[in-house]
Amino acid sequence: MSSSPRRCAPARGSAPILAVILAATVVVGAAVLVPAAHAAAPGSYGIGTTPTEAEIAGWSIAVPPSGANLPPGHGSVSQGSDLFGTVCAVCHGAFGEGVADYPRLAGGVGSLATVAPAETVGSYWPYATTLFDFINRAMPFYAPHSLTPDQVYALTAFILNLNGIVPDGFVADAQTVPAVKMPNRDGFIWKDPRPLTHDTECMTKCVDPASLRITSTAKGDHLTPRTTGPVDDMKAKHP
Amino acid sequence: MTQEAAGTEEGSGAPAMASRRRLLRTGVVAGGAMLAASARAASPPDDPMWSRTLGPGVADRPYGQPSQYEKDAIRRYVPWLTQSTQSDVSFTPLQDQPGILTANGFFYERYHSGRPSVDPAQHRLLIHGLVDRPLLLSMDQLQRFPSVARIHFLECAANGGPEWPAAQLNSLQFTHGMVGCAEWVGVPLSTLLGEVGVKKEGKWVLVEGADGAHMDRSLPIEKCLDDCLVVWGQNGEALRPEQGFPLRLIVPGWQGNVSVKWLRRIEVGATPWYTREETGKYTELLPSGKALGFTWVNEAKSVLTFPCPEKPLTSGAGFYELRGLAWSGRGKIRQVDVSTDGGVSYTRAALQEPVLTKALTRFTLPWRWDGKPVLLQSRATDETGYVQPGIAELRKVMGTGSVYLNNSIQTWQVLADGSVNNVQLS
């Protein structure tokens, strides 16, 4: 269904229909009350309220690559460095190297086509705006969406600098963040090429039995948690 | 004596306790005779203890629970996958799911900031952006729109991810359990978008959750107007908090992450947002160094749920029914073929009704096991004619370092003792 034809037909257009239906209601009681969903003009159900500009602005935190919707404010690499050390390094490491299995935030540039690729913010993410957006909405992990715009700008600047993408003097703001060119900016194919395989429904002699080999088995591994008894936290096996 | 023998274990109310005390007193008197009786099998000619006892009454467990003998049938997780259970996944016990619907208590979980506890009275859905008439809805208001009920599966794009390099997890639950299927009840997203009136430039839709992650994804408008649902009902009750109570999106046939839970905001825009979850994650790095993005569809897949590592063949050679589940994000399952010789030859399995679009589909095949080792496989074909591939073939395109998009044929190796292992073939 297309979205455009309905948009210039406000409630007025459907008023006669509603009137007929309301009239019919008197006669047949709880029969069909409103037009089918797909035929409805905007606002024809008349349910809900119109949000205020402030209500919309408060929840509209998503920042696209254009940088539209970035808030006023700014933050420098050195301000970000201080903040990162006190708020983020406990999980992500002082240099973004990642503590335990918490995500590593730096390094790996140039590794994507190797046998040991490291997909980090610096090596893999195509847009710097996503870094601002994600820190703002989800970090620090234990207190999401608790930082001020200046703090998020500073942390964005610091993490970009950790990855060698911006110089030490970089100040992040609504103009500079969207202008950053990430190393992997052009590394994505945004059109799904699948299906990747084109098998047939072979029923007999599909493979040569003589060539059939078991290449790996999970039998006897130490990776599988128990599937009986209480939930296995594997504490004994992985101290 | 055991409580089971007295048949009162499942009751938790006072009467059950009282009868247990009485039985314990009797036990002191009857002594050894009682013990002998309780140890005896419940098979004929004996009448078992639970047939000679008054059980607990109605509503002693106002919200029902599974049998005490089903304690193993629970969600489980793989502790070494992530650092924190608040950004982690638990797996559906598919080995204990008899049909196409996944019990709400079994349904796999995936959180990025833990599970929020959302008050439905305070929850709001905001719809805005490139629309004629932005809208703010309470749950009461939302539930007044015309509603539908649909059965669809949800599968995480990373289901089977640990199996990319090699057979790693010796379990159906852990190799395939990031999938579930439920009846969802709610409003078509197209109805809500019709109510706000999408402007001509509105080509993409951002959906966002009320969890700490503020989980957000971009979806093309065509899919939103096609079959997406904004739901509050799941398998006969309200959504579980694990599944997004009080409100979530269902994007049928697409990777679970886009079916945003705790849904609170829908923004219409002209271009995608390229959120962290569609750039840094849920994209697929290929051996070439290039990555695939916006690979939303769950391709056709199937797996034998009996036998499997958790449910071996326990009674020796003879008749068994091979059973499994198949699904495709592109529509209905057309057929499933089963092999007992590692994919040299296949036999067509029977599909069980209902065969629904973008839903789990049950298949069965009668089978006589000769007691010798065998390699069992199932292979699904969907209504587009797409045939589920083998892992070796898929690796030629995807490499071994992948995380997502593993829809390969599963091989279960049955040994002469009836035990079952996860193996991969050349």
Side-chain angles (χ1 to χ4, degrees):
Chain A
M1 114 189 214
S2 117
S3 53
S4 46
R6 288 167 290 115
R7 78 192 163 94
C8 355
R12 180 191 302 239
S14 56
I17 306 171
L18 280 172
V20 172
I21 288 161
L22 286 174
T25 310
V26 177
V27 182
V28 299
V32 180
L33 286 173
V34 284
H38 286 260
S44 64
Y45 287 104
I47 301 173
T49 54
T50 303
T52 63
E53 287 297 320
E55 283 173 327
I56 294 176
W59 275 11
S60 295
I61 56 172
V63 178
S66 69
N69 213 25
L70 275 168
H74 55 85
S76 68
V77 171
S78 65
Q79 286 165 334
S81 171
D82 292 345
L83 196 57
F84 193 89
T86 48
V87 187
C88 322
V90 58
C91 295
H92 294 295
F95 305 99
E97 74 279 13
V99 173
D101 282 338
Y102 284 114
R104 157 181 182 190
L105 302 183
V109 176
S111 74
L112 297 183
T114 69
V115 288
E119 301 160 57
T120 73
V121 172
S123 69
Y124 194 59
W125 290 24
Y127 298 106
T129 46
T130 309
L131 181 56
F132 179 96
D133 176 288
F134 184 75
I135 296 171
N136 181 49
R137 72 174 58 237
M139 288 293 136
F141 194 50
Y142 54 80
H145 203 205
S146 61
L147 302 168
T148 66
D150 283 355
Q151 289 177 318
V152 180
Y153 278 122
L155 290 163
T156 303
F158 174 69
I159 294 170
L160 291 173
N161 179 259
L162 266 185
N163 281 284
I165 296 168
V166 300
D168 294 351
F170 182 77
V171 176
D173 62 29
Q175 277 70 49
T176 58
V177 172
V180 171
K181 177 134 197 271
M182 299 294 275
N184 198 37
R185 166 70 181 77
D186 301 318
F188 289 84
I189 300 159
W190 294 111
K191 196 166 170 7
D192 190 347
R194 295 178 302 160
L196 298 170
T197 54
H198 304 274
D199 295 75
T200 57
E201 296 147 328
C202 171
M203 298 304 282
T204 54
K205 299 194 180 119
C206 303
V207 290
D208 174 8
S211 76
L212 213 58
R213 277 190 347 275
I214 291 176
T215 54
S216 64
T217 176
K219 185 181 184 211
D221 71 64
H222 299 289
L223 298 170
T224 313
R226 272 192 324 267
T227 53
T228 54
V231 172
D232 183 2
D233 62 11
M234 300 181 92
K235 283 277 153 59
K237 284 189 226 164
H238 290 259
Chain B
M1 62 165 283
T2 62
Q3 292 174 16
E4 285 90 333
T8 57
E9 160 81 336
E10 300 203 0
S12 56
M17 288 304 290
S19 66
R20 193 177 137 203
R21 269 196 301 277
R22 270 198 303 281
L23 278 160
L24 286 172
R25 267 204 307 279
T26 321
V28 174
V29 180
M34 281 294 287
L35 269 177
S38 70
R40 219 161 41 210
S43 42
D46 293 330
D47 205 17
M49 207 54 182
W50 53 78
S51 306
R52 291 181 284 130
T53 328
L54 187 59
V58 298
D60 75 315
R61 301 190 307 176
Y63 190 93
Q65 292 157 34
S67 160
Q68 57 168 315
Y69 301 105
E70 288 293 311
K71 284 207 169 71
D72 291 343
I74 50 175
R75 288 191 283 246
R76 297 171 185 277
Y77 77 119
V78 178
W80 49 266
L81 277 182
T82 73
Q83 181 62 32
S84 156
T85 56
Q86 284 126 335
S87 174
D88 206 343
V89 62
S90 71
F91 297 76
T92 303
L94 286 178
Q95 66 276 15
D96 297 301
Q97 175 177 323
I100 66 168
L101 293 180
T102 304
N104 291 344
F106 279 4
F107 213 101
Y108 78 99
E109 305 155 282
R110 175 71 173 106
Y111 308 145
H112 289 261
S113 271
R115 177 181 62 241
S117 176
V118 179
D119 176 357
Q122 293 177 53
H123 189 70
R124 293 291 179 274
L125 178 63
L126 174 67
I127 313 177
H128 68 109
L130 296 175
V131 301
D132 295 327
R133 185 180 178 269
L135 198 58
L136 188 62
L137 295 167
S138 67
M139 284 301 297
D140 282 351
Q141 291 165 339
L142 182 87
Q143 290 176 341
R144 285 168 53 198
F145 284 93
S147 60
V148 295
R150 302 259 163 79
I151 294 177
H152 289 301
F153 76 82
L154 279 183
E155 183 188 24
C156 179
N159 200 17
E163 305 297 303
W164 273 115
Q168 293 216 79
L169 293 160
N170 212 18
S171 143
L172 168 66
Q173 183 162 9
F174 295 125
T175 55
H176 289 78
M178 282 191 240
V179 68
C181 183
E183 182 200 48
W184 310 102
V185 178
V187 179
L189 180 52
S190 59
T191 301
L192 298 177
L193 292 176
E195 179 71 358
V196 295
V198 175
K199 291 189 193 291
K200 197 162 73 255
E201 320 83 82
K203 295 288 176 224
W204 287 82
V205 174
L206 182 92
V207 288
E208 191 174 270
D211 56 334
H214 299 79
M215 177 53 62
D216 64 331
R217 291 294 303 260
S218 310
L219 293 169
I221 190 90
E222 295 78 22
K223 181 67 176 175
C224 296
L225 295 175
D226 176 17
D227 59 357
C228 295
L229 305 171
V230 174
V231 308
W232 57 81
Q234 175 187 1
N235 283 341
E237 61 182 350
L239 283 171
R240 290 287 179 91
E242 290 90 328
Q243 264 65 57
F245 179 87
L247 196 65
R248 80 172 300 170
L249 188 68
I250 293 291
V251 184
W254 285 21
Q255 56 177 236
N257 182 254
V258 297
S259 286
V260 164
K261 302 192 275 189
W262 314 290
L263 180 70
R264 79 165 193 190
R265 191 166 77 91
I266 298 173
E267 180 179 351
V268 179
T271 49
W273 282 259
Y274 296 98
T275 72
R276 182 250 193 178
E277 249 53 52
E278 58 206 24
T279 54
K281 303 289 165 190
Y282 301 98
T283 52
E284 196 51 68
L285 181 62
L286 301 175
S288 66
K290 288 277 179 194
L292 301 180
F294 294 155
T295 46
W296 299 294
V297 175
N298 297 107
E299 294 273 30
K301 191 165 175 177
S302 69
V303 68
L304 284 163
T305 57
F306 179 81
C308 67
E310 291 93 333
K311 302 281 177 190
L313 302 176
T314 49
S315 340
F319 179 85
Y320 291 92
E321 182 179 61
L322 301 177
R323 299 178 181 137
L325 294 168
W327 60 96
S328 167
R330 296 197 196 273
K332 290 183 183 173
I333 288 296
R334 190 167 80 193
Q335 65 200 41
V336 178
D337 301 315
V338 171
S339 175
T340 57
D341 56 13
V344 176
S345 64
Y346 285 90
T347 307
R348 191 130 305 165
L351 299 188
Q352 308 256 306
E353 295 291 336
V355 178
L356 301 170
T357 186
K358 302 165 194 176
L360 293 190
T361 299
R362 192 170 180 269
F363 64 88
T364 60
L365 183 72
W367 179 53
R368 204 161 278 284
W369 185 38
D370 61 9
K372 298 204 185 85
V374 290
L375 295 168
L376 300 178
Q377 297 182 334
S378 67
R379 182 188 67 191
T381 304
D382 69 18
E383 64 178 324
T384 70
Y386 172 82
V387 180
Q388 187 184 1
I391 182 77
E393 200 187 343
L394 214 46
R395 278 207 196 103
K396 283 182 200 147
V397 192
M398 302 290 294
T400 55
S402 307
V403 175
Y404 309 104
L405 313 185
N406 181 2
N407 68 320
S408 65
I409 292 171
Q410 172 66 46
T411 307
W412 297 132
Q413 174 195 43
V414 179
L415 298 176
D417 65 1
S419 63
V420 180
N421 296 300
N422 168 20
V423 300
Q424 290 184 358
L425 304 180
S426 50

